[in-house]
Amino acid sequence: MCGIVGYIGSKNSVPILIDGLKKLEYRGYDSAGLAILSDGKIDIVREVGNLSHLENALNKNELCGNLGIGHTRWATHGRPTKENAHPHADCKNNISVVHNGIIENFLNLKEQLMERGHVFHSETDTEVIVHLIEEYYEGDLLAAVQNAAKKLEGSFAVAAICRDHPDLIVVARKDSPLIIGIGNGEYFVASDIPAVLKHTKNIFILEDYEMAKITPEGICIVTFDGEEVKKDIFKVEWDGEAAEKGGFEDFMLKEIYEQPKAIKETMRDKFSKEDEIIFEKLQLSEEDIRNINKVVIIACGTSYHAGLVGKEAIEHWAKIPVEVDISSEFRYSDPILNENTLVVAITQSGETADTLAGVKEAKNKGAKVIGITNVLGSTITREADGIIYTHAGPEIGVAATKTLVCQMVALYIFALYLAKIRKYLNTEETSAIAKDILMLPDKVEEILSGNGKIKESAENYANCTDFLFLGRGIGLPVALEGALKLKEISYIHAEGYAAGEMKHGPIALIDDGVPVVVVATKSKVYEKILGNIQEVKARGADVVAVASCGDDEIEKVADYVFYLPETPEIISAVLAVVPLQLFAYHMAKERGCNVDQPRNLAKSVTVE
Ligand code: AGP
């Protein structure tokens, strides 16, 4: 996700902006740039790669000035190139802009602006913003940004400067974070608090539809409609490191809490306003889709669990047979594939060696390959024929959390798309399911508010050495993921099992020292899972259940119940996994483990 910074004051802005960008590195980026206003002109320096490349270029240019804006770009529209890096300028190099977010109506706006003679130099959505501001600019930068902001659809945090105003930065926000640090005769703009903490702990946090006019003399905050906003100063109490984690104790917890937003971002480019489903980079024609005779999903670890959920959705809605294989097995198997097989390779990092090898194997056998990844420009984006992006934002914690729920959501939407094209679902049916999917972020939010109870249960079980996680149907991948999360961050032995398999072996493990976590949401196998709960209770085990709200039965048999808001069975996996992430997190914290960097594990497994 991009990061923006800005400075206005009496000091040289260049080192301040660079330092600010460094503090935003955690957001992930592939290019960076600065625009400095000095001596009546704006100089822009941009580089691909990390900030040291930009620093080298700045040193060569000997850039210096009291006012500037800066940006780290995580490519969404257009490749990570110098031309696409921010800041972007208008036709006359009079106005310069940095932007974080996605402008959904940029193609439309671009067309209109080009018709009016504007010349574009990048593939980005951002460039329309600066040309739009230029279009409205009649000497008042605030008014021009205000008018432009009203035309933009999507999300944006924008900072704009103009050659005519050597002492002014204008910022605006909708659905992307933006803060202003208040110094002594100087102001700092940033996407996040860590970027300004070195200079000030006094912050204005802009809300959606708010904008500000910032000069060395002061700040004026107004709404997009021009109404003045009186705002309290937010005093930051955290130190630098805590601030990067947004006040959360760890990245993992922050990322768990970011899930509602991450899901929204993942859905944003896939569900259009006109009830259509869009996969921009799929590279599959409708005919290709009609010809698919089998889907093979390959992935590792948590991504494999997303694949199991994807199987349920694709088979249920699109009626295509799906196999799900662990990449390290698939690559050395002798899979039966042909040109009508669609291989879906899921990898949040886009770099997992086994999955990439599986992609090669599939392509060698003539199958079409779609990658699902969170990282733009990662290897899978070059190796696969088509790509589906989850837009979860950078995930720093080694344990996959928000990338998993976004993979599931991407797979649900993909399954709907296949079903629609293959005519197993009509427009009304697709829209009804889409509506349920669109409600997931609010429901995840609701689950997160129950964190206290989950923590309490973890405190109770922190000394246990073995756990069993059980599920059936759509609950099985959730149980497998719950077990993986617990073992990888708390180092407790945990096994995920199909509940129906219990009596074929694992039931021998059950006694009063082995708590059993059961995914027992309302589904076609609900009664069966209640039976499984009785079996483990009869052998003295404690039961922690994930259940649907309003289920009073479960209270009678389970020791702890984590309730989920009501949702259709197939998409309930996104909800059911959240309490188990929190459970694993609190268990690990109780045991004093480093949840962000568990022993022996890496965020991307680039070796076999
Ligand atoms: C999940 O918490 C783990 N870190 C791990 O299982 C991970 O999902 C696996 O290594 C696959 O990674 P990928 O999605 O980047 O391919």
Side-chain angles (χ1 to χ4, degrees), residues 468-472 475 479 497-499 502 516-519 529 532 536:
L468 204 60
F469 283 71
L470 300 178
R472 303 180 85 121
Y497 245 98
M502 278 264 292
V516 181
V517 179
V518 189
V519 184
I529 206 102
N532 296 128
V536 298

Side-chain angles (χ1 to χ4, degrees), residues 315-548:
E315 290 188 338
H316 185 73
W317 290 326
K319 312 286 178 217
I320 309 174
V322 183
E323 289 168 16
V324 191
D325 219 343
I326 293 168
S327 307
S328 54
E329 290 297 314
F330 175 85
R331 65 181 290 190
Y332 295 116
S333 63
D334 190 7
I336 300 164
L337 313 170
N338 59 36
E339 67 283 2
N340 291 327
T341 315
L342 178 67
V343 171
V344 179
I346 311 173
T347 164
Q348 60 77 25
S349 63
E351 304 293 349
T352 298
D354 284 322
T355 303
L356 291 174
V359 167
K360 272 210 175 96
E361 170 72 9
K363 284 179 83 176
N364 285 342
K365 293 207 158 166
K368 294 193 179 60
V369 180
I370 297 297
I372 299 184
T373 189
N374 195 44
V375 182
L376 212 119
S378 57
T379 307
I380 192 135
T381 64
R382 295 186 295 278
E383 298 289 319
D385 300 309
I387 280 291
I388 297 175
Y389 284 111
T390 53
H391 297 292
E395 191 174 67
I396 313 289
V398 164
T401 52
K402 61 176 179 169
T403 52
L404 166 70
V405 292
C406 291
Q407 287 167 347
M408 289 184 190
V409 167
L411 283 159
Y412 290 145
I413 304 174
F414 183 54
L416 278 191
Y417 183 68
L418 297 178
K420 204 174 167 195
I421 290 174
R422 291 168 71 102
K423 301 210 182 332
Y424 283 104
L425 293 177
N426 61 32
T427 309
E428 289 76 57
E429 289 164 325
T430 322
S431 303
I433 300 168
K435 233 186 216 153
D436 287 323
I437 297 174
L438 283 161
M439 284 196 275
L440 287 172
D442 287 346
K443 292 181 179 176
V444 171
E445 200 84 66
E446 207 178 314
I447 297 166
L448 293 172
S449 67
N451 182 28
K453 190 172 174 197
I454 300 171
K455 184 167 188 281
E456 192 190 305
S457 68
E459 282 161 6
N460 190 39
Y461 295 118
N463 292 326
C464 295
T465 51
D466 301 277
F467 266 84
L468 204 60
F469 283 71
L470 300 178
R472 303 180 85 121
I474 199 69
L476 176 57
V478 176
L480 296 177
E481 175 61 11
L484 175 63
K485 220 72 314 164
L486 186 66
K487 73 182 100 170
E488 77 174 316
I489 61 168
S490 74
Y491 316 141
I492 295 172
H493 168 233
E495 283 195 50
Y497 245 98
E501 277 287 289
M502 278 264 292
K503 50 177 76 69
H504 302 287
I507 203 160
L509 292 172
I510 305 287
D511 65 21
D512 58 6
V514 182
V516 181
V517 179
V518 189
V519 184
T521 45
K522 283 280 157 97
S523 71
K524 54 183 181 290
V525 286
Y526 175 71
E527 297 300 331
K528 303 282 168 203
I529 206 102
L530 275 190
N532 296 128
I533 292 178
Q534 296 295 358
E535 284 162 12
V536 298
K537 278 309 279 181
R539 285 155 183 88
D542 261 22
V543 168
V544 176
V546 177
S548 306

Side-chain angles (χ1 to χ4, degrees), residues 220-232:
C220 170
I221 302 175
V222 292
T223 64
F224 287 5
D225 291 324
E227 268 171 53
E228 203 173 320
V229 178
K230 289 268 168 268
K231 216 173 245 301
D232 290 334

Side-chain angles (χ1 to χ4, degrees), residues 152-174:
L152 301 175
E153 286 169 20
S155 59
F156 53 89
V158 168
I161 58 174
C162 174
R163 214 163 46 176
D164 303 340
H165 304 279
D167 54 1
L168 173 66
I169 300 179
V170 172
V171 295
R173 155 187 177 150
K174 185 194 159 251

Side-chain angles (χ1 to χ4, degrees), residues 569-587:
E569 186 176 337
I570 296 227
I571 64 171
S572 68
V574 166
L575 304 184
V577 81
V578 177
L580 300 188
Q581 294 169 341
L582 284 168
F583 183 70
Y585 170 82
H586 290 302
M587 291 287 288

Side-chain angles (χ1 to χ4, degrees), residues 6-18:
Y7 174 79
I8 184 164
S10 56
K11 300 184 187 127
N12 178 12
S13 60
V14 174
I16 295 171
L17 295 172
I18 289 289

Side-chain angles (χ1 to χ4, degrees), residues 274-327:
E274 297 78 33
D275 265 359
E276 264 181 51
I277 301 173
I278 300 164
F279 284 101
E280 247 183 67
K281 300 188 162 62
L282 204 55
Q283 311 289 2
L284 283 180
S285 67
E286 295 205 354
E287 203 193 335
D288 290 337
I289 289 174
R290 278 191 288 270
N291 288 337
I292 297 171
N293 58 16
K294 177 171 79 168
V295 173
V296 177
I297 299 180
I298 57 169
C300 304
T302 292
S303 295
Y304 170 74
H305 300 149
L308 294 174
V309 171
K311 171 184 164 79
E312 295 280 327
I314 295 170
E315 290 188 338
H316 185 73
W317 290 326
K319 312 286 178 217
I320 309 174
V322 183
E323 289 168 16
V324 191
D325 219 343
I326 293 168
S327 307

